């Protein structure tokens, strides 16, 4: 029988029922433009500011420090380009890491073409940067440090508070791409000395096409979209009220439930990881065993390729993802897996399963039952496994 | 994920000719683990006819499906007929492949040629129109 198990929540999440219900009136009932003065427009304005409060509260920021965007990628672009342009008189050096999301890496490439210098910090075998490397990379002309809160592929959480301390001490802005972390890990921008933070709605059960950026009061940054006076003239354009209402509600719920969800997810995640490592030989966990996102499981299987695994899982109704070249749209496997030192062949054989609060233990059990058969089917077809077995004899 | 034809999915889900042939007349291995595809094709040749063909493949859905189809197509053919099987033949038989997966069908063609080359070498014969396969398998042993 075909099951239906969605274990790809780091790619996107379904909209929560409570969020969906909250959004609905803003399509046909309260459709007013928040910049207008009449009654239904005031409803939009009220909803906008309520959502801003909800986002701010979850981050321990002030509402006026929250700006709504169209998503995580836009927020990352905003932070990097906005600070680079505004601060280029002070310097043109930016520090980031080798394992960032492409929204950061490709923006850095763009800035490089425009005369900025970028240092890409390496990571250790678990995907963590070394604070020593960061300290050494800082120069007189460094204007921004951008380090992701938690990695989207391997789930590793960076020492954000320590990075924030270093940045503050040196008077350098600190941006973190927290798209995967928000709603899953407790974040306090004040305590962590974060100057800019990117987040996205659809990673925490809000709709796609909405995100936010936290910009600490006093940070010098260029506006991102020029036009009307929305978002204090930093991001023009009529606000996506329905999406923003959804983001506000979703982040409020996620923040309220963070402790119980973390407990549940860590249990499910570790059951999944341990179940796989114990039952499938020649498999290896990618990412940090403890400092990782509560719902992230990323494992490499020797001798087989990721896309083939995904297709077989899909035929059983299980949705997951992989860092293999065939799923990345290029000839190279995931840059994150290569950065943690995996050889190409092991990176091709990676499988990422990412869980959310609504996933169940029964689903984990089903995957644990199906996966060994899938891996062994592909290994039986693999010339690498054949060679390995012969050499073992 | 890729949009595969029903034929490709059929050959991926239930591949034909998976396995090894002991004392094969020819074995061809192409591709490398670095780029994510390795195909190993075994053939048995009797009286100039390819009596049997089997494969082992490390790779994506398309790599497995093209191996399955290529070995199906080559069985029962004369050597000259087998040489006429190109990546296009394999692709057409599978009702097409997504553009980024065309290289898998090229690999299948190369694997067939490599097995025929190996057969020719072992039997000291020259197969007209057959070129020496590219040696690109060093990663096979480094995994």
């Amino acid at each position: 029988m075909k099951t239906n198990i969605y274990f790809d929540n780091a790619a996107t999440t379904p909209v929560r029922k409570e969020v969906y219900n909250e959004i609905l009136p803003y399509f046909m009932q309260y459709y007013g433009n928040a910049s207008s003065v009449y009654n239904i427009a005031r409803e939009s304005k009220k909803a906008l500011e309520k959502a801003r409060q909800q986002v701010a509260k979850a981050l321990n920021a002030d509402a006026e420090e929250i700006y709504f965007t169209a998503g995580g990628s836009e927020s990352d672009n905003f932070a990097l380009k906005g600070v680079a342009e505004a601060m280029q008189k002070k310097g043109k050096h930016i520090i980031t890491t080798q394992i960032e999301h492409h929204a950061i890496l490709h923006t850095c490439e763009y800035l490089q073409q425009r005369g900025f210098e970028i240092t890409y910090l390496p990571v250790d075998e678990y995907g963590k940067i070394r604070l020593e490397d960061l300290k050494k990379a800082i120069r007189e002309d460094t204007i921004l440090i951008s380090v992701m809160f938690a990695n989207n592929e391997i789930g590793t959480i960076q020492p954000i508070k320590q990075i924030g301390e270093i940045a503050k001490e040196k008077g350098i802005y600190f941006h973190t791409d927290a798209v995967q972390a928000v709603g899953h890990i407790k974040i306090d921008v004040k305590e962590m000395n974060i100057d800019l933070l990117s987040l996205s709605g659809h990673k925490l059960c809000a709709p796609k096409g909405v995100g936010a950026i936290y910009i600490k009061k006093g940070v010098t940054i260029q506006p991102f979209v020029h036009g009307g006076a929305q978002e204090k003239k930093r991001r023009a354009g009529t606000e996506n009220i329905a999406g923003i209402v959804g983001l506000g509600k979703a982040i409020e719920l996620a923040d309220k439930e963070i402790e119980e969800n973390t407990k549940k997810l860590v249990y499910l995640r570790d059951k999944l990881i341990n179940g796989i490592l114990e039952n499938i030989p020649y498999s290896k966990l990618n990412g940090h065993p403890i400092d990782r996102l509560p719902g992230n499981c990323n494992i490499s299987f020797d001798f087989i390729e990721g896309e083939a695994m995904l297709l077989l899982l899909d035929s059983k109704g299980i949705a997951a993802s992989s860092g293999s070249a065939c799923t990345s749209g290029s000839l190279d496997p995931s840059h994150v897996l290569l950065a943690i030192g995996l050889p190409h062949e092991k990176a091709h054989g990676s499988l990422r399963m990412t869980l959310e609060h609504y996933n169940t233990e029964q689903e984990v059990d089903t995957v644990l039952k199906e996966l060994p058969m899938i891996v062994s089917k592909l290994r039986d077809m693999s010339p690498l496994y054949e060679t390995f077995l012969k050499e073992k004899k | 994920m890729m949009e595969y034809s029903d034929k490709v999915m059929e050959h991926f889900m239930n591949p034909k000719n998976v396995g090894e042939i002991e004392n094969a007349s020819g074995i061809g291995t192409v591709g490398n683990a670095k780029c994510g595809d390795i195909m190993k094709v075994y053939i048995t040749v009797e009286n100039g006819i390819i009596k049997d063909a089997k494969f082992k493949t490390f790779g994506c859905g398309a790599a497995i499906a093209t191996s399955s189809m290529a070995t199906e197509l080559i069985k029962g053919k004369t050597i000259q007929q087998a040489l006429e099987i190109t990546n296009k033949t394999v692709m057409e038989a599978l009702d097409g492949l997504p553009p980024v997966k065309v290289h898998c069908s090229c690999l299948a063609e190369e694997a067939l040629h490599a097995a025929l080359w190996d057969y020719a070498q072992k039997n000291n014969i020259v197969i007209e129109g057959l070129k020496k396969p590219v040696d690109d398998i060093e990663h096979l042993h480094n995994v």
Side-chain angles (χ1 to χ4, degrees), chain A residues 65-84:
Chain A
E65 295 172 315
I66 305 298
Y67 300 79
F68 291 108
T69 67
S73 291
E74 186 190 317
S75 297
D76 285 343
N77 272 262
F78 190 170
L80 266 57
K81 291 177 191 167
V83 167

Side-chain angles (χ1 to χ4, degrees), chain A residues 264-321:
Chain A
K264 177 187 172 179
L265 283 172
V266 167
Y267 169 75
L268 292 181
R269 174 197 76 189
D270 290 346
K271 181 169 185 184
L272 185 60
I273 291 173
N274 296 331
I276 293 170
L277 297 179
E278 279 162 22
N279 291 309
I280 305 181
Y282 317 114
S283 57
K284 174 194 171 292
L285 178 70
N286 296 317
H288 199 281
I290 298 153
D291 295 335
R292 75 185 295 135
L293 286 168
N296 177 292
C297 164
N298 187 317
I299 290 180
S300 278
F301 299 92
D302 289 359
F303 321 117
I304 59 176
E305 192 274 343
E307 192 219 55
M309 247 187 296
L310 297 187
L311 290 170
L312 289 176
L313 282 165
D314 183 43
S315 76
K316 301 281 178 196
I318 300 162
S321 88

Side-chain angles (χ1 to χ4, degrees), chain A residues 67 78 215-216 218-226 228-236:
Chain A
Y67 300 79
F78 190 170
I215 304 172
K216 191 177 169 178
V219 165
T220 311
I221 188 166
Q222 282 294 112
F224 192 63
V225 179
H226 299 92
Q230 295 90 352
E231 303 301 284
K232 290 189 282 181
K233 290 190 185 173
R234 281 180 160 167
R235 202 278 187 184

Side-chain angles (χ1 to χ4, degrees), chain A residues 123-167:
Chain A
V123 291
D124 64 18
E125 60 179 311
Y126 299 113
K128 275 202 193 195
I129 66 157
R130 297 172 195 87
L131 295 171
E132 282 311 305
D133 290 345
L134 172 64
K135 285 181 195 157
K136 270 186 242 161
I138 292 172
R139 313 191 315 210
E140 278 292 299
D141 59 344
T142 305
I143 51 171
L144 180 67
I145 296 168
S146 180
V147 176
M148 74 195 322
F149 206 110
N151 186 267
N152 49 313
E153 294 186 36
I154 56 173
T156 300
I157 300 165
Q158 299 296 340
I160 292 298
K161 197 180 166 191
Q162 287 94 312
I163 298 169
E165 269 166 28
I166 294 168

Side-chain angles (χ1 to χ4, degrees), chain A residues 302-305 307-312 314-315 320 325-327 329 331-333 344-346 348-349 377-384 386-388 390-391, chain B residues 1-2 4 9 12-15 18-20 29 33-40 42 55-62 64 100-101 103 139-143:
Chain A
D302 289 359
F303 321 117
I304 59 176
E305 192 274 343
E307 192 219 55
M309 247 187 296
L310 297 187
L311 290 170
L312 289 176
D314 183 43
S315 76
C326 282
T327 54
L331 280 178
D332 284 321
H344 276 69
E345 46 273 28
K346 282 189 203 283
H348 284 301
K377 178 177 176 171
L378 291 171
R379 281 181 178 165
D380 286 344
M381 274 190 241
S382 167
L384 295 171
E386 178 191 312
T387 308
F388 171 79
K390 279 178 187 157
E391 280 173 4
Chain B
M1 210 179 298
M2 295 299 148
Y4 287 132
M9 283 311 290
F12 166 69
M13 294 302 293
N14 300 298
V18 174
E20 300 158 56
T29 307
K34 194 170 179 228
C35 64
D37 292 299
I38 297 175
M39 286 184 197
K40 192 170 184 182
Y42 301 78
F55 80 90
K56 286 266 175 108
T57 289
F58 161 78
C60 62
I64 289 166
V100 294
K101 298 291 185 175
H103 75 101
H139 294 279
L140 184 59
H141 300 287
N142 295 342
V143 173

